[in-house]
Amino acid sequence: MGRVTVRRPVISFSPRGQRSRIDALAAEEPLELRVDGRALAVTMRTPGKDVELAHGFLLSEGVISGLEDISTARFCEGTGPDGQNTYNVLDLALAPGVPAPDVGVERNFYTTSSCGVCGKAALDAVRLKTAFSPASDPCRVRVDVLTTLPDALRAEQKVFATTGGLHGAGLFTSSGEPLVVREDVGRHNAVDKVLGWAVMNNRIPLRDHVLMVSGRASFELVQKAAMAGIPVLAAVSAPSSLAVELAEEQGMTLIGFLRGESLNVYTGAERVEAP
């Protein structure tokens, strides 16, 4: 459902001259998430795995704690110029007894593909309390395992290989076994799709797992990992100061600049073992 890539004509300039060709672009479309018929958020995402995205989003926002908290998920009205369903409106019904989302979860503005925290009703609502604290997780991961993860993630980023325009997030066991990789124009959406996969496969909490992301480690990605009980978050690029602060607060291991055979451990160094 939906287009993952869009083909557009471009004119390329290089030392060899110019030429016209067709380029593949990563698709970006709005997805409106509703809970029990009430609009909750609109995010710009790459179409595909939208039900996973919705489950992961609700988990990371503290609305649900597992698959049993969702009754149904269905696409509803939303038509394009051709009159066909765009599959850009998704409504999830909570199971009986599950409280409706707190008003703090609602976005005042559209969520862009670059930032999922932007538009929070209040900054205080961002610092959510996880039901699956990773602080006591005895997970240990070897450096020589960690250094294999960026290449393993990249190898599964099929759409990135075509477009060069998507973020990737992958879930691995502490021994380096890849479980799932998801791509999206938004790094937070890629992570939500991974978490949604875990929710839908009854794997929450994600004890003894590593979340690997292709870009930087932001505050929100640390929050999402903590809400799923993930003890280790590793990123190819740098973490932000607030991401490090939150990781330390949550008892998580945060790794940045994981490239080649080197990496930086910013918090939770006791989980990282030399080969």
Side-chain angles (χ1 to χ4, degrees):
M1 299 178 188
R3 301 179 303 277
V4 177
T5 62
V6 177
R7 295 173 66 81
R8 298 283 297 181
V10 298
I11 299 176
S12 295
F13 290 84
S14 73
R16 295 187 299 273
Q18 71 178 72
R19 66 186 180 95
S20 298
R21 63 181 181 87
I22 300 298
D23 195 20
L25 306 177
E28 183 175 28
E29 296 180 10
L31 176 67
E32 179 181 331
L33 297 179
R34 299 178 182 176
V35 172
D36 292 328
R38 179 181 177 182
L40 186 69
V42 175
T43 186
M44 300 302 295
R45 96 303 188 195
T46 299
K49 306 297 182 183
D50 292 329
V51 176
E52 288 181 352
L53 190 160
H55 280 73
F57 175 80
L58 293 181
L59 174 75
S60 65
E61 295 289 345
V63 178
I64 66 171
S65 58
L67 183 60
E68 67 280 0
D69 291 338
I70 297 292
S71 175
T72 60
R74 66 181 182 89
F75 288 95
C76 41
E77 77 274 6
T79 57
D82 59 1
Q84 299 297 310
N85 196 323
T86 61
Y87 297 99
N88 284 342
V89 182
L90 181 61
D91 190 10
L92 290 92
L94 298 177
V98 178
D102 183 78
V103 67
V105 176
E106 296 182 10
R107 308 299 198 195
N108 287 337
F109 305 101
Y110 287 90
T111 301
T112 70
S113 57
S114 61
C115 177
V117 170
C118 306
K120 277 283 191 179
L123 183 59
D124 287 345
V126 175
R127 226 180 196 112
L128 301 176
K129 181 175 177 59
T130 178
F132 311 112
S133 173
S136 61
D137 193 320
C139 169
R140 296 292 185 272
V141 60
R142 289 166 55 95
V143 168
D144 54 349
V145 169
L146 287 167
T147 55
T148 68
L149 301 188
D151 286 344
L153 176 65
R154 179 68 178 81
E156 295 300 318
Q157 291 184 255
K158 308 302 184 185
V159 184
F160 177 84
T162 302
T163 66
L166 291 180
H167 294 281
L171 186 66
F172 297 83
T173 66
S174 60
S175 61
E177 177 190 355
L179 299 178
V180 63
V181 171
R182 293 290 182 259
E183 297 179 277
D184 201 276
V185 287
R187 60 172 59 87
H188 59 286
N189 289 334
V191 170
D192 278 342
K193 289 177 179 181
V194 167
L195 300 187
W197 174 89
V199 170
M200 297 178 71
N201 285 276
N202 285 308
R203 287 177 172 264
I204 301 297
L206 288 166
R207 309 290 188 199
D208 201 35
H209 286 75
V210 180
L211 178 64
M212 178 76 215
V213 296
S214 62
R216 63 187 178 86
S218 65
F219 171 93
E220 186 184 25
L221 298 195
V222 173
Q223 173 193 291
K224 288 179 180 297
M227 293 299 284
I230 297 174
V232 182
L233 171 61
V236 171
S237 192
S240 69
S241 62
L242 201 55
V244 174
E245 180 182 321
L246 182 62
E248 188 170 52
E249 179 182 298
Q250 293 293 331
M252 288 175 56
T253 297
L254 180 58
I255 296 166
F257 292 108
L258 178 50
R259 304 171 183 175
E261 297 182 356
S262 64
L263 57 90
N264 291 343
V265 182
Y266 292 87
T267 63
E270 68 279 359
R271 292 194 178 97
V272 179
E273 298 181 337

